[in-house]
Amino acid sequence: MLPVPSPTVPPVSTLPSLSPGQAEEVRTLGRRAADADGVAALSEQTLLSLAAPEGAVEHVLAYAAGHLGAYAQCQPAGGGGGGSDGADGGSPGDGEGPSVELVVDPALRRQGLGSAVWAAVEARDPRARVWAHGDLPSARGFAAALGLEPVRELHKMARPLTEADATGEAAGAATALPAGFSARTFVPGQDEEAWLETNAAAFARHPEQGRLTLADLRERMDQPWFDPAGFIVVEADEAPGRVAAFHWTKVDPEQRSTSDPAATAGEVYVVGVHPAYQGRGLARPLTALGLAHLAGLGLPEVVLYVDGDNTGALRTYSSLGFRDIMVDVMYSRAVHARV
Ligand SMILES: CC(C)(COP(=O)(O)OP(=O)(O)OC[C@H]1O[C@@H](n2cnc3c(N)ncnc32)[C@H](O)[C@@H]1OP(=O)(O)O)[C@@H](O)C(=O)NCCC(=O)NCCS
């Protein structure tokens, strides 16, 4: 009788923290996959959390042929987030499983590594939800094979920047604020607490953004891309020193323009309006002020990310000329409402 080959079960380990060497292996894996897929599987938050303190996130690693073949990171629900979203938040919050990013080395796919890592993730929390950035065919096939369903969508939208944006005179994107409000730039060392308060209020129902802490804010302010000149704060005359609304823009060389891949795209990183000032016509001129800053830097394009169920923000951005260029989908076992 012929010997029956035993199925190869890749060794999977779940760790509460990574050594600097392991973190570097993950970055290398992420770069290899991004080059092959044309979209990064590991987000800024996940890359920052490679150095997170013990137990803040969970790391799942599978080694094959002596090197890191697959990696998943599980962020507890409501953990530090970031990225642009609309002024009125509006996504489900508590009661959700961890948010996961999962990537397999392009040379080692279709060998069960992704399934093995996902099994380890679900064994710890069956409500786990995994991001498919760009909703690649591989991710769709993988989700279908494992019986996962889409539970959340994140739209990446883009718009060209023009000279009229730089002067604040673009049709439909004028920068003039309503009477009683004025704009200035964020002052590090002065505005942190006021900004955190408004961010928490504006994104009270947002799963990630609303719970940013002072440490999360400082972590972002320490990044090479941070520039207070692109962090616009609106004050109401009636409440000096408080933040009525804000538009934080980002210029990260990693963010490539879709129209010219050699150029960097600016980003509407996050726009928030305090609930006390919502419905007063701040969102459009505030968004336009950020576009004016980015256009003034000579950037050809601006991108942003917004939740698929944030219809108010989707409408605002569409009316400002933004169009969908990619949709990220979050998959989970059918314990959540389907989108
Ligand atoms: C999606 C991904 C994690 C799958 O990893 P993997 O190790 O290749 O997955 P597995 O080998 O465990 O595949 C399990 C099943 O998923 C399905 N599947 C995986 N890749 C697929 C593809 N490219 N097309 C269609 N189905 C696919 C198949 O049914 C497969 O079983 P089979 O190979 O016996 O037919 C990997 O392709 C990847 O890293 N993609 C980029 C990052 C990403 O999108 N991550 C989010 C995943 S939701």
Side-chain angles (χ1 to χ4, degrees), residues 169-253:
E169 291 156 0
T175 52
L177 289 166
F181 295 96
S182 56
R184 60 176 177 82
T185 56
F186 181 90
V187 181
Q190 171 195 295
D191 287 329
E192 283 85 347
E193 292 297 343
W195 179 81
L196 282 167
E197 190 192 321
T198 294
N199 180 66
F203 291 98
R205 292 180 303 135
H206 189 280
E208 291 133 10
Q209 182 67 27
R211 284 178 231 181
L212 283 197
T213 63
L214 184 58
D216 295 325
L217 173 58
R218 290 213 172 114
E219 192 176 29
R220 282 158 180 75
M221 291 168 66
D222 284 343
Q223 297 306 308
W225 56 259
F226 179 73
D227 178 10
F231 193 164
I232 296 150
V233 166
V234 169
E235 274 186 13
D237 293 350
E238 67 190 31
R242 309 285 292 275
V243 173
F246 61 88
H247 181 173
W248 189 351
T249 65
K250 178 175 176 183
V251 182
D252 182 346

Side-chain angles (χ1 to χ4, degrees), residues 306-325:
V306 58
D307 250 303
D309 64 355
N310 193 345
T311 43
L314 283 168
R315 206 177 313 117
T316 302
Y317 293 133
S318 299
S319 73
L320 283 160
F322 285 88
R323 299 286 170 257
D324 267 350
I325 53 166

Side-chain angles (χ1 to χ4, degrees), residues 56 74-80 92-100 125 127 129 207-208 211:
C74 308
Q75 297 262 353
D94 289 331
E96 297 184 326
S99 168
V100 181
D125 192 332
R127 300 167 307 160
R129 304 162 300 149
E208 291 133 10
R211 284 178 231 181

Side-chain angles (χ1 to χ4, degrees), residues 12-204:
V12 175
S13 36
T14 303
L15 304 175
S17 63
L18 295 181
S19 69
Q22 288 167 322
E24 195 46 40
E25 283 182 289
V26 175
R27 283 185 209 104
T28 304
L29 167 61
R31 274 193 297 271
R32 282 171 57 78
D35 286 347
D37 296 327
V39 50
L42 306 179
S43 64
E44 173 198 48
Q45 178 63 41
T46 293
L47 293 172
L48 286 172
S49 297
L50 295 175
E54 178 121 354
V57 300
E58 280 185 339
H59 309 269
V60 185
L61 296 86
Y63 283 84
H67 74 274
L68 183 64
Y71 172 76
Q73 186 182 106
C74 308
Q75 297 262 353
S84 51
D85 208 332
D88 54 353
S91 289
D94 289 331
E96 297 184 326
S99 168
V100 181
E101 289 184 334
L102 162 67
V103 63
V104 176
D105 188 313
L108 297 168
R109 291 183 183 168
R110 304 302 289 264
Q111 297 176 31
L113 277 179
S115 300
V117 167
W118 181 247
V121 168
E122 278 196 323
R124 298 182 88 86
D125 192 332
R127 300 167 307 160
R129 304 162 300 149
V130 60
W131 274 118
H133 296 295
D135 201 22
L136 298 167
S138 63
R140 280 203 296 274
F142 179 76
L146 274 76
L148 310 181
E149 293 193 345
V151 293
R152 184 177 166 195
E153 277 180 2
L154 191 67
H155 293 242
K156 183 174 185 182
M157 304 178 90
R159 169 194 187 282
L161 288 167
T162 63
E163 276 178 32
D165 287 315
T167 55
E169 291 156 0
T175 52
L177 289 166
F181 295 96
S182 56
R184 60 176 177 82
T185 56
F186 181 90
V187 181
Q190 171 195 295
D191 287 329
E192 283 85 347
E193 292 297 343
W195 179 81
L196 282 167
E197 190 192 321
T198 294
N199 180 66
F203 291 98

